[in-house]
Amino acid sequence: MPNREELSGRIDEHVFTSELLRGNPLGDPHERPLWVYVPPGYDEEPDRRYPTVYVIMGYTGRLEMWWNRIPYRDPFPAAADALFARGEAPAAILVYVDAWTAYGGSQFVDSPGTGPYHSYLCEEIVPWVDAHYRTLPDRDHRAIAGKSSGGFGAMITPMLRPDLFGALATHAGDALYEYCYLPEFARCVRYLRRYDGDIWAWWADFRGRTAFTREEDEPLLMVLGVSACFSARDDGTPELPFDPRTGVLRPHLWRRWLDLDPVRMAPRHADAVRSLRAVWIDGGTRDEWYLDVGAEAFRQAIVDAGLPEERIRFELFEAGHGRIEYRYPLALAWLCRRIAPRDAG
């Protein structure tokens, strides 16, 4: 398996200073790692410009984790590099974006609970990359891809900023919230009984010991973190969309979550959806959060919004939510063929 130094292309590791994230509500760093991959031949062809794919992570993902290794499989940066080295996809620049927060993630949205992470991506990172690399600085040659929460970010970003992104790939992206989130709320109510219904009591306990050593840690972190992204007060305090003791939904807060469901967003952003050049959607048929069902629903929503089916690649495959990173190079190659210049080889 290749190491970083053995790539045919290269990854430039930057530290990006974000003015938008400076002074964010959680006190998270405003200086962030930013990796930019350039494909083989980039330095030898100084007049050539390249399409760009922005790669974003799932919940609790940190940038360094892209190099985590699963036995018998290459990590994605190596697999993507091999794809370009073998000529199996038109060459592209890949941008690996960090959007970690103290709660484990930002969902790539602007929120008083976490900070302006959507604006950070769109208003800071994209212009910086275009200014410092030989990109094709046009939405028709710019895509975004991710898995799980990163798949959610990949779905919503082109709808919110169709001027910047013209294509996407979502792997088991968060969608159709009545199936992926509501069952988790019920589990969280049970877990919070151990903390007298107080998620802040759990948070204090979680931060004072080794993380993820109790069964409640992952679901409670998710519900607290996503509440910070979707249903925080103006002062930044996350509010759960359900009563932590009875489990009864709080309709005004749950509505804020539903307003960010990609399935429900598609009709409201139909013009942006119809403008997309390429949409890859996939998911495992045994996904623990029913995100295969969400994938089906999102596909139908964008078709109903008027996106021609020939611009969509949809596939369900036999798998759960985890260990599906082998799907990423498949989507990358498909996207690159659709955002490449017409004269690309």
Side-chain angles (χ1 to χ4, degrees), residues 14-319:
H14 303 281
V15 176
F16 182 84
T17 301
S18 169
E19 293 306 318
L20 288 174
L21 296 184
R22 190 187 296 272
N24 64 78
L26 297 177
D28 289 319
H30 69 281
E31 294 185 334
R32 294 301 181 100
L34 175 68
W35 295 354
V36 181
Y37 167 86
V38 297
Y42 181 88
D43 295 321
E44 289 72 37
E45 299 181 78
D47 296 326
R48 182 177 177 182
R49 290 187 169 270
Y50 297 81
T52 313
V53 180
Y54 285 72
V55 185
I56 57 179
M57 302 197 84
Y59 214 78
T60 70
R62 306 192 76 156
L63 209 62
E64 297 81 2
M65 293 168 66
W66 281 116
W67 281 104
N68 287 357
R69 295 181 181 274
I70 293 174
Y72 307 107
R73 296 184 186 179
D74 282 343
F76 175 65
D81 177 70
L83 190 78
F84 295 125
R86 293 192 299 263
E88 295 175 5
I93 293 170
L94 307 185
V95 183
Y96 296 85
V97 181
D98 177 71
W100 168 268
T101 73
Y103 292 140
S106 65
Q107 298 294 92
F108 310 94
V109 300
D110 290 348
S111 169
T114 55
Y117 283 87
H118 177 76
S119 295
Y120 151 75
L121 168 63
C122 295
E123 301 295 339
E124 291 187 323
I125 299 295
V126 170
W128 188 91
V129 171
D130 285 344
H132 290 82
Y133 288 86
R134 297 196 313 275
T135 66
L136 291 163
D138 180 88
R139 54 96 62 187
D140 285 347
H141 304 294
R142 189 183 294 118
I144 186 167
K147 180 236 178 172
S148 195
S149 287
F152 164 78
M155 285 185 277
I156 68 165
T157 300
M159 287 195 276
L160 296 174
R161 292 300 304 267
D163 57 316
L164 293 182
F165 293 94
L168 70 93
T170 175
H171 305 280
D174 301 355
L176 204 62
Y177 289 176
E178 55 265 48
Y179 295 132
C180 70
Y181 280 131
L182 284 180
E184 292 298 297
F185 295 170
R187 291 178 65 201
C188 288
V189 170
R190 288 177 172 173
Y191 290 136
L192 285 171
R193 290 172 184 160
R194 304 171 186 177
Y195 302 90
D196 195 29
D198 182 0
I199 198 163
W200 298 110
W202 166 79
W203 179 242
D205 176 69
F206 176 78
R207 298 183 73 187
R209 58 175 167 81
T210 302
F212 304 113
T213 53
R214 296 183 183 169
E215 63 176 344
E216 64 263 33
D217 288 349
E218 184 174 341
L220 290 179
L221 180 66
M222 180 279 294
V223 78
L224 176 61
V226 180
S227 294
C229 299
F230 290 175
S231 55
R233 298 175 193 162
D234 290 342
D235 68 2
T237 304
E239 291 193 277
L240 301 182
F242 58 91
D243 185 289
R245 289 184 173 82
T246 68
V248 174
L249 287 175
R250 294 166 167 165
H252 66 294
L253 298 175
W254 178 229
R255 170 49 55 190
R256 291 175 63 183
W257 286 52
L258 292 178
D259 285 345
L260 286 166
D261 182 344
V263 174
R264 292 168 168 86
M265 288 178 65
R268 302 199 308 270
H269 298 275
D271 288 345
V273 169
R274 285 192 293 270
S275 76
L276 290 168
R277 295 186 66 181
V279 177
W280 173 290
I281 309 166
D282 70 12
T285 55
R286 293 181 281 103
D287 190 285
E288 294 85 339
W289 287 272
Y290 304 99
L291 294 171
D292 53 326
V293 181
E296 289 265 18
F298 182 65
R299 175 192 170 278
Q300 189 61 53
I302 60 177
V303 169
D304 290 345
L307 185 66
E309 294 204 43
E310 60 266 23
R311 299 186 201 169
I312 303 169
R313 172 67 182 269
F314 174 80
E315 186 177 349
L316 298 182
F317 52 94
E318 185 64 23

